Structures are given as structure tokens and as C-alpha cells.
Amino acid sequence: MKRTNTFAVRPLSDEGEQVLRNVLDASAALWNETNYQRLMRYNDEDGFEGDVWDADTGALEGKYKDILGASTAQQVIGKNSEAWTGFFEVKDQYHDESNTSITDHPSPPGFRGNKDDRRQLKTVIRNTSYSTEWGERSRLEIIVGHELRDKHNSPGSRLRLEIVGDPNWREYEKQGRLDLWYDETDSTFRASQPVTVSDE
């Protein structure tokens, strides 16, 4: 069965918080740049979709991997690809005259804030690029790029964060891609972890 653990996380130091903010901000910037390249290639007039996949995502990954780590950069670009794929699917349904469930014309994926109004601090971490440890002192460790590795007190390439509260699903067979973001409403870092648990 698929389930989701949601929890708050807390950096262990001011330096750790700055590293986490840098990762989330760079992820939002990478999303925005990927989205911009695809949006500039999208032509709604004739419905042509192929050009959006010609965005130079390899160059964008190279630009951000020193901050995010290659796996996180790939995940951010991959999630943007999923958003565009979903957009095209909904658009096809909208143009299908037999489908009356979609009444508003779908819009391409949006941006995660901007430099003037601040970016939305959000990232996605591959399932093999983070680890959790549950117990009296639960923790989350995420991989960061080599540019940030010496700017926090955690061991090596991983940033250690404290998990606040208990998960709903402490024991699971498999963990999925982790969403990590800053919740502006209550000034808290939050995470969402999809897990596969036994049917028992």
C-alpha cells in the first residue's frame, strides 16, 4: 500500500539552515529556468508540443549540480517534465469534444516565485539521496552539492536535519521521492515522504 509520512524538519545550526535555504532556493531557480526554456519553446497556436523537450536541461543540471548534487538537480528537472506531460494530457482532454469534464483551458506549468517577490523554497530529493532514522532523536539526511559541503557541521556530503514529531508509517518496505519545502505560513521546514508499506 502507498502511504505518506509528513513531518517538520529543523536544521541543527544557523549554518545548516542557510545550507538548506540555499538548496531550496537553487531548486526553485532550476525549476524556473527549466520552465522558462520550455515555455519559450511552446507554441500554443498550432498545438505543437515537441519543442519543449528540446530545452537544454543538461546544461541546467550542470549549472546547479555543485549546489544541489547531481541527483537532486535531475529530480527537479524530472518533476518539471512530469508537470509538462500532465499539462499536455489535460490539454488533449480539453480539446476532446467528447470529454466535458474539463471546462477551463489548461495553462502550462507555472514558476516558483521570482527574484523580486522571492522564490518559493522547495525541492525534491531522489529516494536514494536521503535517509531517515526514526527514534528518540529522529533525523533526516539529504545529499548536498560539493559547493555546500563545508558550510555545515554534518558529515561529508549529507546535511543532517532533526525530524520533529513521529511519522505515521515508521516501518516501510520502500521510500519514494522526498518533497521538502519551507512553509511560509508558520515559518517551518516541512517534508513529505511517500512510502510503500505492507498490506498487513
Side-chain angles (χ1 to χ4, degrees):
M1 293 185 299
K2 302 284 188 184
R3 295 290 183 262
T4 303
N5 284 324
T6 54
F7 46 86
V9 296
R10 198 164 35 215
L12 302 176
S13 66
D14 290 343
E15 294 82 9
E17 179 173 346
Q18 189 56 55
V19 168
L20 180 57
R21 285 180 178 276
N22 288 347
V23 167
L24 298 178
D25 186 61
S27 294
L30 173 55
W31 172 282
N32 287 349
E33 287 190 45
T34 303
N35 210 50
Y36 179 78
Q37 282 200 20
R38 288 181 168 159
L39 199 55
M40 292 300 99
R41 288 166 171 78
Y42 173 64
N43 183 350
D44 195 27
E45 295 296 319
D46 58 12
F48 184 64
E49 302 167 2
D51 283 349
V52 300
W53 307 120
D54 293 339
D56 192 356
T57 55
L60 291 173
E61 178 189 328
K63 179 178 177 181
Y64 285 95
K65 71 179 181 180
D66 291 346
I67 296 172
L68 300 175
S71 63
T72 298
Q74 292 165 5
Q75 290 299 297
V76 171
I77 293 168
K79 191 153 188 177
N80 184 265
S81 298
E82 291 170 15
W84 276 92
T85 299
F87 161 67
F88 288 131
E89 288 172 357
V90 172
K91 185 180 167 199
D92 287 345
Q93 292 173 18
Y94 175 80
H95 290 297
D96 180 0
E97 294 178 8
S98 65
N99 186 344
T100 57
S101 63
I102 301 172
T103 56
D104 295 326
H105 191 283
S107 299
F111 295 98
R112 291 191 171 159
N114 57 53
K115 281 188 176 180
D116 296 333
D117 300 326
R118 295 187 347 195
R119 286 187 278 261
Q120 297 168 346
L121 301 180
K122 188 172 188 177
T123 195
V124 59
I125 311 286
R126 180 182 290 159
N127 65 333
T128 57
S129 298
Y130 76 91
S131 61
T132 55
E133 188 175 305
W134 307 108
E136 193 174 317
R137 293 179 162 261
S138 297
R139 70 180 188 213
L140 166 70
E141 291 184 357
I142 63 170
I143 288 180
V144 297
H146 76 268
E147 200 172 293
L148 298 177
R149 290 178 187 172
D150 297 331
K151 298 182 178 177
H152 60 85
N153 298 327
S154 304
S157 63
R158 291 183 172 254
L159 173 65
R160 184 174 291 166
L161 305 164
E162 178 185 7
I163 293 176
V164 182
D166 292 322
N168 290 329
W169 311 98
R170 189 179 288 247
E171 294 183 23
Y172 44 82
E173 297 169 354
K174 184 178 169 187
Q175 65 184 18
R177 185 172 63 185
L178 183 83
D179 281 297
L180 186 59
W181 70 95
Y182 182 69
D183 187 341
E184 298 268 358
T185 307
D186 58 4
S187 304
T188 303
F189 295 100
R190 299 198 177 279
S192 174
Q193 178 200 34
V195 294
T196 303
V197 299
S198 168
D199 289 341
E200 296 174 7

